[in-house]
Structure formats: structure tokens, C-alpha cells
Amino acid sequence: MSIFSNGANMAAQRSLLRALGWTDSEIQKPIVGVISAQSDIIPGHTHLEELARAVSEGVLAAGGKPVTVPCIGVCDGIAMGHEGMKYSLPSREIIADSVEILARAHAFDAIVCIGNCDKIIPGMLLGAVRVNVPAAFVSGGPMLAGHKDGGKLSLSSMFEAVGAYTSGKIDEAELSRYECAACPSCGSCSGMFTANSMNCLLEALGMALPRNGTLPAVYSARLALAKRTGEAVMNLLEKNIRPRDILTPKALKNAVRVDMAIGASSNSVLHLLALASELGLSKSEFSIDTMNEISRVTPNLCRLAPAGEQCIEELDEAGGVSAVIKTLIVAGLFEGDALTVSGVSQKERTAGAKADARLIRPVSDPYSPYGGLAVLHGNLAKEGAVVKKSAVAPEMYRHSGPARVFDSEEEAMTAISGNQIHRGDVVVIRYEGPKGGPGMREMLSPTASLVGAGLGSSVALITDGRFSGATRGAAIGHVCPEAAAGGVIGVVKEGDIIDIDLEAGTVNLRVPEAEIEARLASFIPKEKPVTGYLKRYRAQVTSASDGAVFKN
């Protein structure tokens, strides 16, 4: 029953609901906020209005009163490579605030969050935890894979094609063929990039129904999934199951296990750490080192783009996230008693799942005995750095080379585009962290340009910024402390030798410690001139090793 049905003291509020055309029976029903990030500029969100209607139908069928309200979002692909990317990660905090404000101000009894792309889903998760009313998620679903000359394409193929064009490997006509074929439908980009990673992890966390992360956006079955999600949130309301009942330390660790098994985006590290912070978990309960510990014992079972050739729609056909979860449960690598928005445990929910071994390998025959992501430590990253190991060529697991140092993505791109980077180099891009950017830009353009130029298996890239889930190659991001916070990455000099060992989990500057300390003693970090929200963000944001959340 809605709070607004409570007698005379809510008469004024009811008069405003009547202005909306509500009837007496509607006012009596529980109000379910359908928070939709529909947008005409984001390919993964352009169709969310249809899903919001479907969710509303499910809520109505189960006895609730749905109300659709908006939420902002940023398309990382469109924002990539220019100033707009500085606003992508910072938008997560505004989205979380918006969910909190909308739900609290209007006294929603429950919420369904409908997003799809990169920061939108994590931001909605943080907001749902704050509000802690019964909540369920449904994503917009992945884009279909593109096709060209008998091969599959994704957004990463497109960025790499730009690199190939810049280095003279293809001409403008061929680049145009890529451009017109890479993104054939609405939906989140078709590889295991950040959006699809987070939508898959929603299933592992228990906050979304099965197939949420893999069912293509254009399939009618996604409308049915949205309707079932509307029904599911009403069941959660009846049973008083709330986000904090589902999002326990057990659930977060389960999400990390699936993350490692499917080779998810390195950005998932940021968002899971932020979620742990919002839940108030201590470092002993969940930290960046927890993720590394899980990675060491969780095999990598899937190799989707950019690490392999398969796309998300193929994972759906192979059994989806449910099949991955069941595989891990049977192997004793996933806690099956964790609760889900289905109202049952993960073990019950995935009991009927079947994995196609051609895409989801058995634990006995994994692509790798350890997870798709790795956290590195060393004198260059004392608080950690992150690499998508499953997308690195094996010959780059160990690499030593001279540092090529740049204080922004733009400087690095000028050098890469000008063919000034050579085999064996270690490209260092600094002042792109949460504070330094500010905003911790994704840098798909530099990594894709290196791959497109044929340097993906001979050049490493290290940054205090971050990478798109579409990035492949020896790309090490989230270096902490960042340059703007006085980190060692800020005192690396051109030509310094950097040693990378992904097997040992280390990244080190080959300079005597006394010399490093002397450099740090005289180091004054640069501060880029910014105004508006970015200025406020820089003043409030914490380290990437803490999820780049705002200070408490």
C-alpha cells in the first residue's frame, strides 16, 4: 500500500496525484518507480522506452502502480577521444544521486532500474543500495555483432580500423566499410566490454533475472524479460527483500568469480569496489586484493571480444551467465546459496542451465587456470594497477622496455599517430586518473591505434587512467597512487626502464629506490584547469583503488 493512502495528512499530496489522473484504486497501490535512462544519443538506450513500458505492464499485472522517471547517461563510445570522456566516470555519482533523490522524494515503495551502458548500471546500483527499497534491474541488452567479409565486428574492431588507417595499412574506403558495418543494431556494444560486463555481473550479484546480460536488445524475448522483472519486483516487495539483503559480501565475491570466468572489463574492478564502499564493507571484507585472490583460483572459461572472436549473443546461445554460474557452483567456486531477485538462491535459479563447451569451457579445460583480470603491484603501483590479462598476447606477459612519457592522452595519440612509438616501448600516460584528468578517461583510442598499427604484441601501455572494456593488448590501467596524488608514475622519466611481469603480478620502475625518493621529494604534481562539475568532482573523488567514489 502506498504512503499516500494514509488518511487526511496526505490529502494535499493525493490532490497532486489526482492531477495526474490517478484513481482511488491506483493511489492505494504500491508505487514502483521505473527509472529509465532512455536517450536518443546512446545506441544502447534509444529503445529503453519500450522496455520501460514492458516493465510497467509487469508491475501492473502484479498489482502495483508503475511510474516512469528519467535518468541521465553518457555513451562512452561517442565520448571517447575528446573532452567528453572526462564526464563519463563522474556521471556515475550523479546517477547514484538521481536514483536516491527520485526514490526518496516521491516515496517509491520499490524501484526497477533500466539502463545499459557503462556508468549507468553501476550508478543505479549505488543509488539502489542507498535507498534500499525492493529493487530489480533489467538492461537494454547487447547489440548484434557486425559482419564484414565473413568475419565478425564490434566497436573495438572499429577503433582498431582507425589505427590501421592512421598507420597506412588500409585506405579511407576500407575504413568506411568498417564504419558502416561495425554497429548494426541498437544495444550495448557487442563484445565483453564494460556495459555487457556489468549487465552480466548483475546476474551474478543476484540483482537481475537470467539472460539480463546476454539476451540481444532487438529480440522480443527482452520485452518478456522486462515484464517478468516488473512482476519480480512486486514479489520482492511482498517478501520485503531489499538490495542489502541480496548484495552481501558473498554476492560481491560471487560477482568477482563470474567476472574472472568470463573475462570481463577492467572497469568492473572500479564499480565493484565502489559498490563495496557504498555497502560499508571493510577492506578485510572486500578490497582490490580480494579480487586478486579470487582471480588466482578462478579459471577463465570464456574468451569473448576483444579477447576472442565470439560476441555476447553467442554467449547467450551457449547458456549465458546462468551456465557459467552453474559450472562454477559444481566446481565449488561459487556460493550457490546466495539470494537473487527471483526470490530463490543462485543454485535453484541456475539448476536447469546447460553450458555449450565450445564457448563456455569446463573447469577442467579452461583457457587459463586463473581469471581474466589481474591486479598488479610494485614500486610503480604501490596501491595496485589492473590489467585484462585474458586480452594480452602471451608474449607480452613479461616485458621490459623504455618509458615513453606523456602527460595526457592527446600527447600520446599525437606520438602514436605520428609513428613515433616503436616495438619494445612502454607508453606511459599520466595525469588521467580520477583527480588528474579529472574524470579518469577511458583510453581506447591509444590502445586500439597501437593494435591497428601492428604494435599490440610488442608495446605496453601504462596509465593512471583507465581503459574501455574493448581494449586489448598489454594495457595496464588504474595505476595508484595516480600522478596527481603524488604517485611514482608522476616521476617516471623518458627512457626509464619499466619491468612488467603479469605472471608474478608486478609492475616496477627499474630505478634505485633512493633515486625514486629523491624525485618524489621535489615533485609538484600538475593540476589541469577545470571548472563546473569536474572541479567539484576533483575535490571530492578518492583513489581508483577505492573505486573512485566520493569522500565520506
Side-chain angles (χ1 to χ4, degrees):
M1 183 176 290
S2 165
I3 187 177
F4 300 110
S5 62
N6 291 341
N9 62 338
M10 285 289 168
Q13 290 85 341
R14 287 197 299 274
S15 71
L16 293 170
L17 298 179
R18 294 185 190 283
L20 297 170
W22 288 25
T23 64
D24 288 344
S25 62
E26 286 178 307
I27 293 172
Q28 293 290 322
K29 292 177 180 177
I31 299 176
V32 178
V34 181
I35 304 176
S36 170
Q38 193 280 331
S39 170
D40 287 345
I41 192 62
I42 306 177
H45 287 220
T46 187
H47 62 303
L48 295 191
E49 187 175 351
E50 298 175 60
L51 291 181
R53 280 198 297 268
V55 168
S56 295
E57 289 173 15
V59 170
L60 284 168
K65 171 59 181 174
V67 291
T68 302
V69 292
C71 177
I72 69 162
V74 170
C75 176
D76 280 26
I78 294 174
M80 195 76 67
H82 59 90
E83 186 183 25
M85 180 47 74
K86 292 184 178 182
Y87 288 88
S88 174
L89 183 59
S91 74
R92 185 187 69 184
E93 311 312 308
I94 290 182
I95 291 165
D97 291 346
S98 296
V99 171
E100 177 187 0
I101 290 167
L102 287 165
R104 289 286 187 215
H106 301 109
F108 293 156
D109 296 290
I111 58 173
V112 175
C113 294
I114 310 174
N116 210 19
C117 296
D118 295 38
K119 309 310 151 311
I120 295 94
I121 290 297
M124 287 177 160
L125 261 177
L126 300 182
V129 167
R130 290 181 200 169
V131 177
N132 203 36
V133 296
F137 283 66
V138 62
S139 77
M143 183 184 291
L144 295 176
H147 293 271
K148 176 182 169 295
D149 300 332
K152 286 170 284 192
L153 298 179
S154 65
L155 185 65
S156 61
S157 312
M158 191 63 242
F159 277 93
E160 289 171 13
V162 172
Y165 170 75
T166 302
S167 62
K169 294 182 179 297
I170 63 173
D171 60 18
E172 190 170 351
E174 182 68 358
L175 180 64
S176 179
R177 291 183 65 212
Y178 273 96
E179 180 180 333
C180 295
C183 300
S185 75
C186 67
S188 49
C189 300
S190 59
M192 187 54 76
F193 312 147
T194 305
N196 290 329
S197 294
M198 293 309 302
N199 290 328
C200 288
L201 294 190
L202 281 174
E203 294 184 49
L205 287 166
M207 290 299 295
L209 297 180
R211 300 185 76 190
N212 174 74
T214 56
L215 184 60
V218 295
Y219 286 10
S220 297
R222 184 154 286 277
L223 293 174
L225 177 65
K227 291 176 185 178
R228 291 198 301 274
T229 303
E231 294 170 350
V233 82
M234 292 302 295
N235 181 54
L236 294 174
L237 182 60
E238 181 182 348
K239 294 181 177 179
N240 195 29
I241 298 174
R242 300 168 182 255
R244 287 178 178 270
D245 298 321
I246 297 173
L247 295 171
T248 62
K250 178 189 301 184
L252 265 68
K253 291 175 183 176
N254 277 343
V256 175
R257 293 178 180 107
V258 169
D259 187 320
M260 298 305 168
I262 64 177
S265 164
S266 59
N267 284 314
S268 62
V269 175
L270 274 178
H271 302 316
L272 290 174
L273 288 171
L275 181 57
S277 176
E278 193 66 56
L279 289 164
L281 302 184
S282 67
K283 295 271 187 175
S284 63
E285 291 176 294
F286 193 89
S287 70
I288 193 169
D289 291 322
T290 306
M291 305 187 81
N292 225 16
E293 291 162 9
I294 292 173
S295 178
R296 292 191 194 104
V297 297
T298 306
N300 180 215
L301 306 179
C302 304
R303 283 281 166 96
L304 291 93
E309 297 298 321
Q310 294 96 351
C311 292
I312 297 295
E313 63 197 84
E314 294 170 89
L315 177 59
D316 188 65
E317 294 165 5
V321 177
S322 289
V324 175
I325 290 173
K326 183 179 177 180
T327 300
L328 293 175
I329 289 174
V330 171
L333 296 171
F334 188 103
E335 297 193 61
D337 60 343
L339 185 60
T340 71
V341 293
S342 302
V344 298
S345 70
Q346 290 278 14
K347 184 175 182 179
E348 293 172 277
R349 191 165 82 165
T350 61
K354 294 181 180 179
D356 184 337
R358 290 173 296 179
L359 195 139
I360 304 170
R361 286 195 174 182
V363 170
S364 60
D365 182 32
Y367 284 100
S368 167
Y370 36 72
L373 297 180
V375 176
L376 311 181
H377 289 280
N379 65 8
L380 193 54
K382 294 182 179 179
E383 294 176 7
V386 180
V387 62
K388 188 168 182 175
K389 191 174 179 180
S390 61
V392 179
E395 58 264 36
M396 289 296 289
Y397 281 5
R398 290 186 178 88
H399 180 80
S400 296
R404 304 296 309 281
V405 183
F406 306 97
D407 287 346
S408 69
E409 177 185 2
E410 287 81 4
E411 288 183 18
M413 278 302 296
T414 298
I416 295 168
S417 301
N419 298 316
Q420 297 171 31
I421 304 301
H422 308 291
R423 295 178 65 86
D425 286 347
V426 179
V427 175
V428 177
I429 306 178
R430 60 195 181 193
Y431 294 106
E432 290 291 1
K435 288 183 179 294
M440 202 178 187
R441 285 191 286 183
E442 284 186 349
M443 284 173 280
L444 178 56
S445 295
T447 56
S449 294
L450 289 170
V451 171
L455 296 172
S457 59
S458 61
V459 170
L461 194 155
I462 294 176
T463 180
D464 52 11
R466 61 195 179 91
F467 298 111
S468 165
T471 286
R472 63 186 174 113
I476 298 168
H478 308 199
V479 170
C480 298
E482 62 176 295
V488 172
I489 191 173
V491 298
V492 177
K493 293 182 178 180
E494 185 83 6
D496 283 346
I497 300 300
I498 293 176
D499 298 314
I500 300 164
D501 190 335
L502 302 191
E503 297 285 10
T506 58
V507 54
N508 285 295
L509 181 64
R510 198 192 296 175
V511 171
E513 283 301 313
E515 171 64 16
I516 293 175
E517 290 302 321
R519 291 185 191 182
L520 289 172
S522 59
F523 176 46
I524 301 175
K526 296 180 180 180
E527 189 172 274
K528 297 176 183 177
V530 290
T531 59
Y533 178 56
L534 289 181
K535 187 174 183 179
R536 286 183 280 134
Y537 181 83
R538 181 171 63 192
Q540 291 295 319
V541 73
T542 60
S543 169
S545 62
D546 293 320
V549 296
F550 279 178
K551 298 172 186 174
N552 288 328

